[in-house]
Amino acid sequence: MVHWVCNYVPSASCPWILEVGSGNGTLLLGLLDAEYPPERLCGIDYSAGSVKLARSVSATRGGDNISFHLCDFLKEDPPKLPSMLQEANSDWDLIMDKGTFDAIGLMEKDGNGMAPADGYPPKIGRLLKPGGYFLITCTTTIDFFFLTRN
């Protein structure tokens, strides 16, 4: 994923990058290693333990300015980074997911027969800047897919 991002969303463009389900933060740390500005990188996870671990790991790797937040993506919007609010369009240039949608897809339907995964695509669309990218892995292959918002 890092290689794809470097080729199609270069660090020189100073993108705002959100990782949904950041776990221990290694994907964002890979972008930090590829010279993406840490203050433009944000990871969210529903697990407080994962957020704590990601913050700890990133602090040992020079990523103190990467933001990691506790966030249940299905129930709340991820926080905007402070400097994003100074821009006219403060949406994300790139949203990445390397397994969270798979986990959401395994969740049971609610009493109305709605699957939690049904709300995921529209939420991505609301958070993504026009012309931005959504990069997601697929568990059935080693490939990944990307979408762009028009």
Side-chain angles (χ1 to χ4, degrees), residues 55-64:
R55 288 175 180 160
S56 175
V57 171
S58 67
T60 66
R61 301 254 318 265
D64 295 30

Side-chain angles (χ1 to χ4, degrees), residues 8-150:
Y8 294 97
V9 189
S11 63
S13 68
C14 293
W16 297 107
I17 299 176
L18 173 68
E19 182 182 10
V20 177
S22 57
N24 65 7
T26 56
L27 180 54
L28 293 174
L29 288 168
L31 293 175
L32 177 70
D33 292 343
E35 300 183 1
Y36 284 77
E39 63 279 354
R40 291 178 164 263
L41 304 175
C42 181
I44 59 169
D45 205 289
Y46 74 96
S47 165
S50 292
V51 172
K52 183 178 179 181
L53 177 61
R55 288 175 180 160
S56 175
V57 171
S58 67
T60 66
R61 301 254 318 265
D64 295 30
N65 291 334
I66 297 175
S67 296
F68 292 100
H69 298 279
L70 184 63
C71 178
D72 184 339
F73 186 72
L74 294 177
K75 296 179 181 169
E76 57 191 317
D77 284 348
K80 302 278 186 179
L81 299 176
S83 50
M84 285 177 84
L85 301 175
Q86 299 169 8
E87 293 190 6
N89 184 350
S90 63
D91 293 329
W92 300 95
D93 295 295
L94 171 65
I95 300 175
M96 303 180 299
D97 178 342
K98 65 179 191 329
T100 298
F101 183 70
D102 288 338
I104 291 170
L106 296 173
M107 297 170 77
E108 303 224 0
K109 293 182 179 181
D110 65 17
N112 298 321
M114 295 296 296
D118 294 343
Y120 186 96
K123 184 143 194 189
I124 292 291
R126 272 192 307 106
L127 297 172
L128 196 60
K129 187 178 286 184
Y133 294 97
F134 173 52
L135 184 61
I136 185 169
T137 59
C138 178
T139 59
T140 58
T141 69
I142 58 169
D143 294 326
F144 52 87
F145 300 92
F146 75 93
L147 301 170
T148 184
R149 178 177 171 209
N150 293 326

